[in-house]
Amino acid sequence: MATLVLQQLINALTVGAIYALIALGYTMVYGVLRLINFAHSEMFTAGAFVALFAAGLLGGVTGHPGVALLAGLATFVAIGLLGVSVEAVAYRPLRGTSRLAPMLSALGMAVVIQNVVMLAGGRRPLIYPSFLPRGVINVAGAIVSYKQLAILAVALVLMVGLELLVNRTSLGVKIRAVAESAETASLVGINPNLPIALIFFVGPGLGAVAGILYASYYGVATFSMGFVIGMKAFTAAILGGIGSIPGAVLGGLLLGAIETFATAWMPALTHGVIGTEYRDIFAFSVLVLILLFRPSGLLGEHVSEETMVYKRDF
Amino acid sequence: MLIFDHVTKRFGANVAIDDASLTIRPGVITAVIGPNGAGKSTLVNMAAGSFRATSGRILLDGVELQGLPKYKIARAGLSRTYQNIRLFDGLSVLQNLEVALVPRSLPTLIAQAFWLGPGAGAEVRDTCMAVLQRLGIAHLAERQAGSLAYGQQKIVELARAVAARPRAILLDEPAAGLNHGETDELKAHIQTLRGPELAIVLIEHDMRLIMSVSDDIYVMNRGAVLAHGNPEAIRDNPQVQEAYLGQPGAMGNIEAAARGRRNRVRLRAGEGLAWGQS
Amino acid sequence: MALMPIAVVVVGVFLPAYPLRILDLVLLYAILGMGLNIVVGYAGLLDLGYVAFYAIGAYTYALLASPQFDLHLPFLLILAIGAGLAALAGVLLGIPVLRLRGDYLAIVTLGFGEIIRVLMNNLDWMTNGPQGIARIDEASLFGWRVSTPVDFLYLLVGLAVLTFLFVWRLQESALGTALAAVREDQDAARGCGIDTTGVKLIAFATSATIGGVGGVVFASMQRFVSPESFTFWESLSIVLVVVVGGLGNPFGVMLGAGLLVLVPELLRAYADYRQLLFGVALVLVILARPMGLIRREYGPSWFARKLMAR
């Protein structure tokens, strides 16, 4: 029993770390622009496919650590640049208009990216060669794969890097200033475009790496896999408190845990009425419950309406 | 009558309002002044329902406003204008006023939308037009609110606040951003609001406007009420001079303004005409 | 204006079967678009799960008028039940979300649409899962059997006219004013005494009701339903109908419905690129004409004034 719980905990942590990496992109964009970046989920998908392409250029041996690292880096940069261009083309011209417009634009970009991936990578699920090391170790009876350890390690490194970037660099100060209030920041001479561009580089970059990890972990990639994962990651961001970077990490890990344990125990608890096919519904239930009882999330500050509501709420 | 009864508001360790008691009587214009950070805006926002006081009561004609949602506070008879104008930019001026007169009950709204029940359209329209007429901006009725000049927008916001026939009205820095001429126009309009039933609160920095238009003044400093009295008494109060005005030189301006007031009252009748022509 | 539906009927009656079916589809999308427009165009809220209400309507008809449970209730009764269930779902979904900021609605409705689809896929005992429900009854109205595309043309034109008149009245009524205020500045609307949560809930439920009605008609038209018809893509298409045609303008919605149905038909040969083109079109329209092809001002009231003035 204890072993089973330990096993599930490790599985939960792995999935949660991937959710957290994606949630970071949602939360940073939302924190600064108050925009649900629907295109973000497709950065995740595109990341998985671009990495495969990059590995192909590097000789095709995805399991080789050097190839994996280089391909990962190249993907981070490529998708990061894609993110920056999407912001410049589709979001920036709409800044300061109604809030409906950028969301619709983001939705359009999501459709565009997803279809480009489909046209390039095909409609059918792709068997994904893993970029992660193979093999397993036994920890107190639970089986931990090197894949899982690698995912946790990569996620940890990226999160620490982001933490340093945001809290220890002058660029990070600018990001936080713009997130606080773009207007005030511009009064003290901060051009908001630079920090915003940086966010649109880092967020999609992290999402892309999450895509590689996810596809490597499960061994498949489809052009449409971003949709559901994206919704879950956004739920994680709200769960943790949207706009909060530690919140996104906590939310991701928690959601991973809720989902893993609910999927494992629900069928037994409900005598099979609720089966594993409802896995995707748990995340949504969490979302609605959070919105009902604690809309500011776990780590989000309770913002008074005065500061939250903009001239046009929508 | 709008009453702040021993109201205290803390933000964390910060005391924004410190046991303030104010009584705003109907029929007079009550100004609340004080340096930046004195708590004037906090007071307004608290009354309008943006946040709750830590302790104390806020009563409008005997009804406790604390804890009511914003729209219920508005329905209780409190309307307001905003420091930075908040009109419905995409709607016409007339529509902006009509919003204030939307029927309160949801069933009525549904019934009207389904062609049941009487459509009160024409009546509401007439009421709104009358208000616009009174403020001299009837010719702007069909213009899009967002396309108007700043000064005009301020008057439209005032009109919207009045349209619902409130029992108390909070004017949050109405003269901010206006030039001298526009301020004088605004003053004339504030004067016309005066009625036996309506309690008017004026939050302002423009001493000239305050001294010339208000009947009763509360001076706030660091969240507490420092002084209370008519303009002359406030002008002569040494505590106010020291705490709020800082240096003795500022006093001269106030006196000039107070003198100017008497002159201007006589001019008032002519002033209302120039509005909207800019 | 009254001539338009008559013109549609006259033209429709002489059309061959295939274009007639497309015309029916345009009308159906126009009805759905006018319904969704209440939430997106009037209240300024993004609903990305409209298809859920459509699906509720469709499955209501499929379950109550087919051999599935051997129930064969009359069409009109099911129309009322389907509309009622959709409205109920709208209220239940709206209550937790609509008191919050508008953009949460987008993500929650997106999730809700998916949930409904997952349920339809998995509640095999009820919905037959992915196989769907076939052999659905023919619709009949007071003894009039609605079965051929021409019959549906009459039915859809009638419904479209009713919907059009209703949303026009709604927009011009005090409720429309309240929704416009919510769209422009929610907080200031509250300051004017508007129960913003209440009016948004009415808008959401009304919109859901029209979606449910559309679903019932859809099921009676296809006489077959399956989860495949109710994907996120369908929701997005209806959003596109509204956004491309003209936010807050029923005429725009009709134009949008026409374009969204006809263009893909014309581009059949390039079916693989269809969604890509839709995505590009959405971004371009938002960037170039954020209010859609026909602006809000040029709605039915403007048109009526023009006619009167002549």
Side-chain angles (χ1 to χ4, degrees), chain A residues 14-53:
Chain A
T14 313
V15 185
I18 293 175
Y19 289 161
L21 279 181
I22 312 166
L24 284 167
Y26 281 115
T27 221
M28 284 193 294
V29 169
Y30 197 91
V32 173
L33 293 180
R34 307 293 186 271
L35 163 71
I36 300 180
N37 182 13
F38 287 106
H40 189 59
S41 58
E42 305 315 314
M43 305 288 178
F44 163 89
T45 315
F49 281 84
V50 167
L52 216 51
F53 179 71

mmCIF file of all heavy atoms in Angstrom, chain A residues 14-53:
data_model
loop_
_atom_site.group_PDB
_atom_site.id
_atom_site.type_symbol
_atom_site.label_atom_id
_atom_site.label_comp_id
_atom_site.label_asym_id
_atom_site.label_seq_id
_atom_site.Cartn_x
_atom_site.Cartn_y
_atom_site.Cartn_z
ATOM 1 N N THR A 14 6.025 13.798 -11.625
ATOM 2 C CA THR A 14 6.498 13.923 -12.998
ATOM 3 C C THR A 14 5.507 14.700 -13.851
ATOM 4 O O THR A 14 5.862 15.677 -14.520
ATOM 5 C CB THR A 14 6.690 12.521 -13.616
ATOM 6 O OG1 THR A 14 7.396 11.711 -12.680
ATOM 7 C CG2 THR A 14 7.446 12.601 -14.908
ATOM 8 N N VAL A 15 4.247 14.250 -13.807
ATOM 9 C CA VAL A 15 3.225 14.945 -14.593
ATOM 10 C C VAL A 15 3.093 16.381 -14.115
ATOM 11 O O VAL A 15 2.982 17.326 -14.910
ATOM 12 C CB VAL A 15 1.861 14.230 -14.466
ATOM 13 C CG1 VAL A 15 0.841 14.869 -15.368
ATOM 14 C CG2 VAL A 15 2.014 12.762 -14.798
ATOM 15 N N GLY A 16 3.106 16.552 -12.780
ATOM 16 C CA GLY A 16 2.947 17.876 -12.195
ATOM 17 C C GLY A 16 4.044 18.833 -12.632
ATOM 18 O O GLY A 16 3.788 20.007 -12.902
ATOM 19 N N ALA A 17 5.281 18.318 -12.728
ATOM 20 C CA ALA A 17 6.396 19.172 -13.138
ATOM 21 C C ALA A 17 6.173 19.667 -14.562
ATOM 22 O O ALA A 17 6.457 20.831 -14.890
ATOM 23 C CB ALA A 17 7.708 18.402 -13.044
ATOM 24 N N ILE A 18 5.631 18.793 -15.413
ATOM 25 C CA ILE A 18 5.361 19.201 -16.798
ATOM 26 C C ILE A 18 4.249 20.259 -16.824
ATOM 27 O O ILE A 18 4.382 21.297 -17.480
ATOM 28 C CB ILE A 18 4.994 17.976 -17.652
ATOM 29 C CG1 ILE A 18 6.222 17.068 -17.776
ATOM 30 C CG2 ILE A 18 4.506 18.407 -19.031
ATOM 31 C CD1 ILE A 18 5.960 15.762 -18.496
ATOM 32 N N TYR A 19 3.176 20.028 -16.073
ATOM 33 C CA TYR A 19 2.107 21.030 -15.992
ATOM 34 C C TYR A 19 2.673 22.367 -15.514
ATOM 35 O O TYR A 19 2.308 23.427 -16.024
ATOM 36 C CB TYR A 19 1.007 20.592 -15.022
ATOM 37 C CG TYR A 19 0.154 19.445 -15.492
ATOM 38 C CD1 TYR A 19 -0.592 18.694 -14.602
ATOM 39 C CD2 TYR A 19 0.077 19.133 -16.841
ATOM 40 C CE1 TYR A 19 -1.381 17.647 -15.019
ATOM 41 C CE2 TYR A 19 -0.709 18.075 -17.278
ATOM 42 C CZ TYR A 19 -1.432 17.327 -16.356
ATOM 43 O OH TYR A 19 -2.213 16.294 -16.776
ATOM 44 N N ALA A 20 3.546 22.271 -14.514
ATOM 45 C CA ALA A 20 4.078 23.500 -13.919
ATOM 46 C C ALA A 20 4.867 24.306 -14.955
ATOM 47 O O ALA A 20 4.724 25.521 -15.045
ATOM 48 C CB ALA A 20 4.961 23.167 -12.725
ATOM 49 N N LEU A 21 5.675 23.598 -15.755
ATOM 50 C CA LEU A 21 6.478 24.296 -16.769
ATOM 51 C C LEU A 21 5.575 25.050 -17.743
ATOM 52 O O LEU A 21 5.867 26.176 -18.142
ATOM 53 C CB LEU A 21 7.338 23.298 -17.550
ATOM 54 C CG LEU A 21 8.644 22.846 -16.903
ATOM 55 C CD1 LEU A 21 9.376 21.882 -17.834
ATOM 56 C CD2 LEU A 21 9.527 24.031 -16.570
ATOM 57 N N ILE A 22 4.458 24.430 -18.115
ATOM 58 C CA ILE A 22 3.548 25.102 -19.049
ATOM 59 C C ILE A 22 2.809 26.229 -18.333
ATOM 60 O O ILE A 22 2.634 27.323 -18.873
ATOM 61 C CB ILE A 22 2.532 24.109 -19.648
ATOM 62 C CG1 ILE A 22 3.256 22.853 -20.144
ATOM 63 C CG2 ILE A 22 1.754 24.737 -20.777
ATOM 64 C CD1 ILE A 22 2.324 21.700 -20.422
ATOM 65 N N ALA A 23 2.386 25.940 -17.100
ATOM 66 C CA ALA A 23 1.609 26.937 -16.345
ATOM 67 C C ALA A 23 2.399 28.230 -16.186
ATOM 68 O O ALA A 23 1.825 29.314 -16.160
ATOM 69 C CB ALA A 23 1.216 26.367 -14.986
ATOM 70 N N LEU A 24 3.724 28.106 -16.086
ATOM 71 C CA LEU A 24 4.556 29.310 -15.920
ATOM 72 C C LEU A 24 4.334 30.291 -17.069
ATOM 73 O O LEU A 24 4.239 31.495 -16.872
ATOM 74 C CB LEU A 24 6.036 28.922 -15.840
ATOM 75 C CG LEU A 24 6.464 28.317 -14.503
ATOM 76 C CD1 LEU A 24 7.834 27.685 -14.612
ATOM 77 C CD2 LEU A 24 6.448 29.382 -13.422
ATOM 78 N N GLY A 25 4.244 29.753 -18.278
ATOM 79 C CA GLY A 25 4.030 30.617 -19.433
ATOM 80 C C GLY A 25 2.687 31.328 -19.364
ATOM 81 O O GLY A 25 2.590 32.521 -19.636
ATOM 82 N N TYR A 26 1.645 30.602 -18.967
ATOM 83 C CA TYR A 26 0.323 31.221 -18.846
ATOM 84 C C TYR A 26 0.337 32.324 -17.789
ATOM 85 O O TYR A 26 -0.189 33.412 -17.979
ATOM 86 C CB TYR A 26 -0.725 30.188 -18.440
ATOM 87 C CG TYR A 26 -1.221 29.324 -19.562
ATOM 88 C CD1 TYR A 26 -0.973 27.965 -19.576
ATOM 89 C CD2 TYR A 26 -1.964 29.873 -20.602
ATOM 90 C CE1 TYR A 26 -1.444 27.155 -20.602
ATOM 91 C CE2 TYR A 26 -2.444 29.071 -21.624
ATOM 92 C CZ TYR A 26 -2.177 27.712 -21.621
ATOM 93 O OH TYR A 26 -2.651 26.933 -22.632
ATOM 94 N N THR A 27 0.934 31.981 -16.648
ATOM 95 C CA THR A 27 0.843 32.891 -15.509
ATOM 96 C C THR A 27 1.651 34.163 -15.751
ATOM 97 O O THR A 27 1.233 35.253 -15.376
ATOM 98 C CB THR A 27 1.251 32.153 -14.212
ATOM 99 O OG1 THR A 27 0.376 32.549 -13.173
ATOM 100 C CG2 THR A 27 2.666 32.438 -13.807
ATOM 101 N N MET A 28 2.805 34.032 -16.417
ATOM 102 C CA MET A 28 3.610 35.228 -16.664
ATOM 103 C C MET A 28 2.909 36.166 -17.629
ATOM 104 O O MET A 28 2.856 37.377 -17.425
ATOM 105 C CB MET A 28 4.985 34.837 -17.211
ATOM 106 C CG MET A 28 5.907 34.286 -16.146
ATOM 107 S SD MET A 28 7.617 34.171 -16.702
ATOM 108 C CE MET A 28 7.504 32.939 -17.950
ATOM 109 N N VAL A 29 2.361 35.605 -18.698
ATOM 110 C CA VAL A 29 1.646 36.442 -19.667
ATOM 111 C C VAL A 29 0.427 37.081 -19.018
ATOM 112 O O VAL A 29 0.169 38.271 -19.163
ATOM 113 C CB VAL A 29 1.230 35.617 -20.898
ATOM 114 C CG1 VAL A 29 0.268 36.397 -21.778
ATOM 115 C CG2 VAL A 29 2.458 35.224 -21.691
ATOM 116 N N TYR A 30 -0.296 36.282 -18.248
ATOM 117 C CA TYR A 30 -1.492 36.820 -17.611
ATOM 118 C C TYR A 30 -1.127 37.901 -16.601
ATOM 119 O O TYR A 30 -1.796 38.930 -16.495
ATOM 120 C CB TYR A 30 -2.288 35.712 -16.923
ATOM 121 C CG TYR A 30 -3.703 36.127 -16.619
ATOM 122 C CD1 TYR A 30 -4.714 35.901 -17.530
ATOM 123 C CD2 TYR A 30 -4.010 36.785 -15.433
ATOM 124 C CE1 TYR A 30 -6.001 36.305 -17.275
ATOM 125 C CE2 TYR A 30 -5.304 37.194 -15.177
ATOM 126 C CZ TYR A 30 -6.289 36.952 -16.098
ATOM 127 O OH TYR A 30 -7.572 37.358 -15.850
ATOM 128 N N GLY A 31 -0.033 37.649 -15.872
ATOM 129 C CA GLY A 31 0.392 38.609 -14.858
ATOM 130 C C GLY A 31 0.698 39.968 -15.444
ATOM 131 O O GLY A 31 0.449 40.993 -14.829
ATOM 132 N N VAL A 32 1.224 39.980 -16.661
ATOM 133 C CA VAL A 32 1.636 41.250 -17.255
ATOM 134 C C VAL A 32 0.553 41.838 -18.150
ATOM 135 O O VAL A 32 0.268 43.026 -18.104
ATOM 136 C CB VAL A 32 2.947 41.067 -18.040
ATOM 137 C CG1 VAL A 32 3.294 42.332 -18.798
ATOM 138 C CG2 VAL A 32 4.067 40.734 -17.079
ATOM 139 N N LEU A 33 -0.056 41.011 -18.986
ATOM 140 C CA LEU A 33 -1.002 41.541 -19.978
ATOM 141 C C LEU A 33 -2.458 41.245 -19.660
ATOM 142 O O LEU A 33 -3.340 41.723 -20.357
ATOM 143 C CB LEU A 33 -0.690 40.966 -21.363
ATOM 144 C CG LEU A 33 0.617 41.386 -22.002
ATOM 145 C CD1 LEU A 33 0.765 40.734 -23.361
ATOM 146 C CD2 LEU A 33 0.688 42.891 -22.147
ATOM 147 N N ARG A 34 -2.724 40.471 -18.603
ATOM 148 C CA ARG A 34 -4.097 40.050 -18.298
ATOM 149 C C ARG A 34 -4.721 39.384 -19.515
ATOM 150 O O ARG A 34 -5.855 39.658 -19.884
ATOM 151 C CB ARG A 34 -4.970 41.233 -17.861
ATOM 152 C CG ARG A 34 -4.409 42.054 -16.725
ATOM 153 C CD ARG A 34 -4.381 41.246 -15.432
ATOM 154 N NE ARG A 34 -3.980 42.058 -14.299
ATOM 155 C CZ ARG A 34 -2.713 42.238 -13.904
ATOM 156 N NH1 ARG A 34 -1.721 41.667 -14.566
ATOM 157 N NH2 ARG A 34 -2.441 42.961 -12.864
ATOM 158 N N LEU A 35 -3.938 38.544 -20.161
ATOM 159 C CA LEU A 35 -4.399 37.886 -21.384
ATOM 160 C C LEU A 35 -4.274 36.378 -21.210
ATOM 161 O O LEU A 35 -3.239 35.889 -20.764
ATOM 162 C CB LEU A 35 -3.533 38.354 -22.562
ATOM 163 C CG LEU A 35 -3.582 37.502 -23.839
ATOM 164 C CD1 LEU A 35 -4.918 37.670 -24.530
ATOM 165 C CD2 LEU A 35 -2.457 37.874 -24.778
ATOM 166 N N ILE A 36 -5.341 35.647 -21.538
ATOM 167 C CA ILE A 36 -5.227 34.194 -21.609
ATOM 168 C C ILE A 36 -4.609 33.878 -22.963
ATOM 169 O O ILE A 36 -5.245 34.054 -23.994
ATOM 170 C CB ILE A 36 -6.592 33.494 -21.489
ATOM 171 C CG1 ILE A 36 -7.256 33.846 -20.151
ATOM 172 C CG2 ILE A 36 -6.424 31.989 -21.604
ATOM 173 C CD1 ILE A 36 -8.615 33.192 -19.967
ATOM 174 N N ASN A 37 -3.375 33.445 -22.946
ATOM 175 C CA ASN A 37 -2.671 33.221 -24.199
ATOM 176 C C ASN A 37 -3.005 31.832 -24.744
ATOM 177 O O ASN A 37 -2.287 30.864 -24.505
ATOM 178 C CB ASN A 37 -1.170 33.371 -23.966
ATOM 179 C CG ASN A 37 -0.389 33.193 -25.248
ATOM 180 O OD1 ASN A 37 -0.968 33.195 -26.331
ATOM 181 N ND2 ASN A 37 0.917 33.038 -25.115
ATOM 182 N N PHE A 38 -4.085 31.763 -25.490
ATOM 183 C CA PHE A 38 -4.528 30.464 -26.005
ATOM 184 C C PHE A 38 -3.486 29.794 -26.884
ATOM 185 O O PHE A 38 -3.480 28.587 -27.038
ATOM 186 C CB PHE A 38 -5.836 30.625 -26.779
ATOM 187 C CG PHE A 38 -7.018 30.872 -25.914
ATOM 188 C CD1 PHE A 38 -7.594 32.120 -25.835
ATOM 189 C CD2 PHE A 38 -7.541 29.848 -25.134
ATOM 190 C CE1 PHE A 38 -8.686 32.358 -25.013
ATOM 191 C CE2 PHE A 38 -8.630 30.069 -24.311
ATOM 192 C CZ PHE A 38 -9.202 31.327 -24.250
ATOM 193 N N ALA A 39 -2.614 30.595 -27.485
ATOM 194 C CA ALA A 39 -1.608 30.020 -28.375
ATOM 195 C C ALA A 39 -0.543 29.254 -27.596
ATOM 196 O O ALA A 39 0.223 28.491 -28.174
ATOM 197 C CB ALA A 39 -0.963 31.115 -29.219
ATOM 198 N N HIS A 40 -0.500 29.441 -26.277
ATOM 199 C CA HIS A 40 0.573 28.835 -25.493
ATOM 200 C C HIS A 40 0.554 27.309 -25.577
ATOM 201 O O HIS A 40 1.602 26.672 -25.645
ATOM 202 C CB HIS A 40 0.461 29.293 -24.042
ATOM 203 C CG HIS A 40 1.635 28.914 -23.199
ATOM 204 N ND1 HIS A 40 2.918 29.319 -23.505
ATOM 205 C CD2 HIS A 40 1.739 28.158 -22.078
ATOM 206 C CE1 HIS A 40 3.755 28.826 -22.591
ATOM 207 N NE2 HIS A 40 3.061 28.123 -21.730
ATOM 208 N N SER A 41 -0.641 26.720 -25.573
ATOM 209 C CA SER A 41 -0.717 25.261 -25.608
ATOM 210 C C SER A 41 -0.089 24.720 -26.892
ATOM 211 O O SER A 41 0.454 23.620 -26.915
ATOM 212 C CB SER A 41 -2.170 24.815 -25.503
ATOM 213 O OG SER A 41 -2.930 25.376 -26.548
ATOM 214 N N GLU A 42 -0.162 25.530 -27.947
ATOM 215 C CA GLU A 42 0.388 25.063 -29.224
ATOM 216 C C GLU A 42 1.907 25.215 -29.274
ATOM 217 O O GLU A 42 2.584 24.567 -30.068
ATOM 218 C CB GLU A 42 -0.277 25.801 -30.384
ATOM 219 C CG GLU A 42 -1.799 25.700 -30.364
ATOM 220 C CD GLU A 42 -2.306 24.288 -30.074
ATOM 221 O OE1 GLU A 42 -1.780 23.334 -30.676
ATOM 222 O OE2 GLU A 42 -3.216 24.150 -29.235
ATOM 223 N N MET A 43 2.448 26.101 -28.411
ATOM 224 C CA MET A 43 3.912 26.190 -28.278
ATOM 225 C C MET A 43 4.437 24.865 -27.712
ATOM 226 O O MET A 43 5.506 24.386 -28.089
ATOM 227 C CB MET A 43 4.298 27.328 -27.330
ATOM 228 C CG MET A 43 3.726 28.669 -27.701
ATOM 229 S SD MET A 43 4.539 29.308 -29.153
ATOM 230 C CE MET A 43 3.646 30.833 -29.400
ATOM 231 N N PHE A 44 3.659 24.328 -26.801
ATOM 232 C CA PHE A 44 3.979 23.029 -26.193
ATOM 233 C C PHE A 44 4.061 21.955 -27.280
ATOM 234 O O PHE A 44 5.058 21.243 -27.406
ATOM 235 C CB PHE A 44 2.892 22.739 -25.158
ATOM 236 C CG PHE A 44 2.779 21.313 -24.698
ATOM 237 C CD1 PHE A 44 3.514 20.863 -23.616
ATOM 238 C CD2 PHE A 44 1.897 20.434 -25.325
ATOM 239 C CE1 PHE A 44 3.383 19.566 -23.170
ATOM 240 C CE2 PHE A 44 1.760 19.135 -24.881
ATOM 241 C CZ PHE A 44 2.509 18.692 -23.810
ATOM 242 N N THR A 45 3.020 21.892 -28.103
ATOM 243 C CA THR A 45 3.003 20.894 -29.175
ATOM 244 C C THR A 45 4.130 21.145 -30.166
ATOM 245 O O THR A 45 4.877 20.229 -30.526
ATOM 246 C CB THR A 45 1.673 20.972 -29.951
ATOM 247 O OG1 THR A 45 0.619 21.067 -29.017
ATOM 248 C CG2 THR A 45 1.484 19.765 -30.822
ATOM 249 N N ALA A 46 4.238 22.403 -30.606
ATOM 250 C CA ALA A 46 5.263 22.737 -31.601
ATOM 251 C C ALA A 46 6.640 22.373 -31.077
ATOM 252 O O ALA A 46 7.490 21.898 -31.829
ATOM 253 C CB ALA A 46 5.183 24.223 -31.943
ATOM 254 N N GLY A 47 6.858 22.576 -29.755
ATOM 255 C CA GLY A 47 8.150 22.246 -29.155
ATOM 256 C C GLY A 47 8.520 20.790 -29.383
ATOM 257 O O GLY A 47 9.641 20.472 -29.811
ATOM 258 N N ALA A 48 7.560 19.899 -29.141
ATOM 259 C CA ALA A 48 7.834 18.479 -29.305
ATOM 260 C C ALA A 48 8.233 18.162 -30.750
ATOM 261 O O ALA A 48 9.159 17.384 -30.997
ATOM 262 C CB ALA A 48 6.605 17.670 -28.901
ATOM 263 N N PHE A 49 7.547 18.786 -31.703
ATOM 264 C CA PHE A 49 7.822 18.486 -33.114
ATOM 265 C C PHE A 49 9.119 19.142 -33.589
ATOM 266 O O PHE A 49 9.890 18.527 -34.337
ATOM 267 C CB PHE A 49 6.643 18.933 -33.990
ATOM 268 C CG PHE A 49 5.492 17.963 -33.952
ATOM 269 C CD1 PHE A 49 4.555 18.019 -32.923
ATOM 270 C CD2 PHE A 49 5.363 16.978 -34.924
ATOM 271 C CE1 PHE A 49 3.499 17.116 -32.876
ATOM 272 C CE2 PHE A 49 4.314 16.072 -34.881
ATOM 273 C CZ PHE A 49 3.384 16.143 -33.855
ATOM 274 N N VAL A 50 9.365 20.370 -33.152
ATOM 275 C CA VAL A 50 10.588 21.060 -33.571
ATOM 276 C C VAL A 50 11.817 20.327 -33.044
ATOM 277 O O VAL A 50 12.829 20.189 -33.739
ATOM 278 C CB VAL A 50 10.573 22.530 -33.090
ATOM 279 C CG1 VAL A 50 11.947 23.172 -33.240
ATOM 280 C CG2 VAL A 50 9.532 23.319 -33.875
ATOM 281 N N ALA A 51 11.726 19.813 -31.819
ATOM 282 C CA ALA A 51 12.868 19.103 -31.246
ATOM 283 C C ALA A 51 13.217 17.881 -32.088
ATOM 284 O O ALA A 51 14.390 17.580 -32.320
ATOM 285 C CB ALA A 51 12.540 18.677 -29.817
ATOM 286 N N LEU A 52 12.179 17.215 -32.577
ATOM 287 C CA LEU A 52 12.396 16.038 -33.411
ATOM 288 C C LEU A 52 13.129 16.430 -34.694
ATOM 289 O O LEU A 52 14.062 15.763 -35.142
ATOM 290 C CB LEU A 52 11.030 15.435 -33.751
ATOM 291 C CG LEU A 52 10.949 13.920 -33.821
ATOM 292 C CD1 LEU A 52 11.530 13.303 -32.567
ATOM 293 C CD2 LEU A 52 9.500 13.507 -34.002
ATOM 294 N N PHE A 53 12.677 17.537 -35.258
ATOM 295 C CA PHE A 53 13.301 18.062 -36.469
ATOM 296 C C PHE A 53 14.760 18.427 -36.201
ATOM 297 O O PHE A 53 15.661 18.063 -36.967
ATOM 298 C CB PHE A 53 12.514 19.287 -36.937
ATOM 299 C CG PHE A 53 13.063 19.924 -38.163
ATOM 300 C CD1 PHE A 53 12.968 19.307 -39.398
ATOM 301 C CD2 PHE A 53 13.693 21.163 -38.092
ATOM 302 C CE1 PHE A 53 13.478 19.893 -40.533
ATOM 303 C CE2 PHE A 53 14.204 21.761 -39.222
ATOM 304 C CZ PHE A 53 14.095 21.124 -40.447
#
